Amino acid sequence: EVQLLESGGGLVQPGGSLRLTCAASGFTFRNYGMIWVRQAPGKGLEWVSAVGGGGDTTYYADSVRGRFTISRDNSRSTLSLQMSSLRAEDTAVYYCAKLVDSGICYWGQGTLVTVSS
Amino acid sequence: QPVLTQSSSPSASLGSSVKLTCTLSSGHSGNIIAWHQQQAGKAPRYLMKVGGSGYYNKGSGVPDRFSGSSSGADRYLTISNLQSEDEADYYCETWDSNTRVFGGGTKLTVL
């Protein structure tokens, strides 16, 4: 059974940093692209960043490029999102998800990030 | 990059059927899209992919009541025999070489 478990969310001040982690199990992690998607309170889904199975290909939404860094450790089946220079508008539930043929096919349960002073 | 426009939020009665629409922007009418369901307070759940030829590929455990189809730039999600647990927000998603987008969502109310 595929499982994706996010952690690392919490309260951080504007301008601060936070690292999210997604622990994956139930599939051969290195064979699949992975993605982060966020959802601000009461809003829709917004793509944040994606990484290929090997970790060498990364993509970012314009809203986070230069501030967020996606990475993966295939030996540990973990996906990470390093977030810096955080803003109030980054407040959201962050989901990791598994990609199959470029589309999302499985979602984690999410972790809440609150950026506030 | 593609833009996805979703239909307005419908209300439908228990046991009836409803068809949700997701429209691809000009130049992207051949894109595959995915439908996701998000019940209140829960994480999204993948339902299916729908291609331009009308084929669809459902996720594991998705009931037979859910089906997909397409016409031109429109991609559809049809839910038959509506149940109370189908009340949710429904999002479509598509992607190209280095980006992906979501539609604004459609809130389905089951009466």
Side-chain angles (χ1 to χ4, degrees):
Chain A
E1 178 190 3
V2 172
Q3 290 195 30
L4 299 171
L5 184 61
E6 301 94 335
S7 60
L11 175 63
V12 60
Q13 292 188 337
S17 298
L18 208 58
R19 186 178 184 88
L20 306 183
T21 300
C22 172
S25 61
F27 63 103
T28 305
F29 184 69
R30 65 180 178 273
N31 288 350
Y32 294 91
M34 297 292 292
I35 186 174
W36 288 98
V37 175
R38 67 185 180 184
Q39 186 171 35
K43 303 296 185 182
L45 301 172
E46 179 189 16
W47 167 68
V48 173
S49 183
V51 61
D56 52 345
T57 306
T58 57
Y59 307 98
Y60 297 93
D62 289 344
S63 57
V64 305
R65 187 175 292 113
R67 300 188 299 121
F68 290 12
T69 301
I70 192 171
S71 62
R72 62 190 297 159
D73 183 341
N74 287 344
S75 68
R76 297 176 183 269
S77 297
T78 58
L79 174 73
S80 296
L81 186 69
Q82 178 67 46
M83 306 184 294
S84 61
S85 302
L86 283 162
R87 308 165 180 166
E89 54 264 36
D90 296 318
T91 294
V93 175
Y94 285 73
Y95 298 100
C96 73
K98 173 188 173 187
L99 299 176
V100 174
D101 296 330
S102 299
I104 293 172
C105 75
Y106 200 87
W107 297 79
Q109 292 305 299
T111 187
L112 175 64
V113 173
T114 303
V115 183
S116 175
S117 54
Chain B
Q1 70 177 34
V3 174
L4 297 173
T5 302
Q6 294 192 236
S7 52
S8 57
S9 300
S11 300
S13 300
L14 274 171
S16 69
S17 296
V18 67
K19 189 175 188 178
L20 308 184
T21 304
C22 174
T23 302
L24 288 150
S25 55
S26 176
H28 299 279
S29 61
N31 278 35
I32 297 169
I33 69 110
W35 285 103
H36 304 279
Q37 176 196 60
Q38 187 176 34
Q39 297 170 325
K42 293 189 175 181
R45 174 195 183 190
Y46 166 71
L47 293 177
M48 67 182 70
K49 290 191 179 87
V50 182
S53 61
Y55 88 88
Y56 63 96
N57 180 14
K58 292 201 295 187
S60 173
V62 176
D64 292 342
R65 304 184 292 103
F66 289 79
S67 62
S69 60
S70 68
S71 176
D74 292 333
R75 305 288 182 266
Y76 305 107
L77 173 67
T78 299
I79 311 172
S80 305
N81 187 22
L82 275 169
Q83 304 296 304
S84 57
E85 61 264 31
D86 299 332
E87 183 162 293
D89 293 321
Y90 291 84
Y91 293 93
C92 54
E93 169 213 5
T94 195
W95 50 90
D96 65 13
S97 58
N98 59 3
T99 191
R100 70 184 54 238
V101 294
F102 291 92
T106 295
K107 183 176 182 60
L108 172 62
T109 301
V110 179
L111 304 174

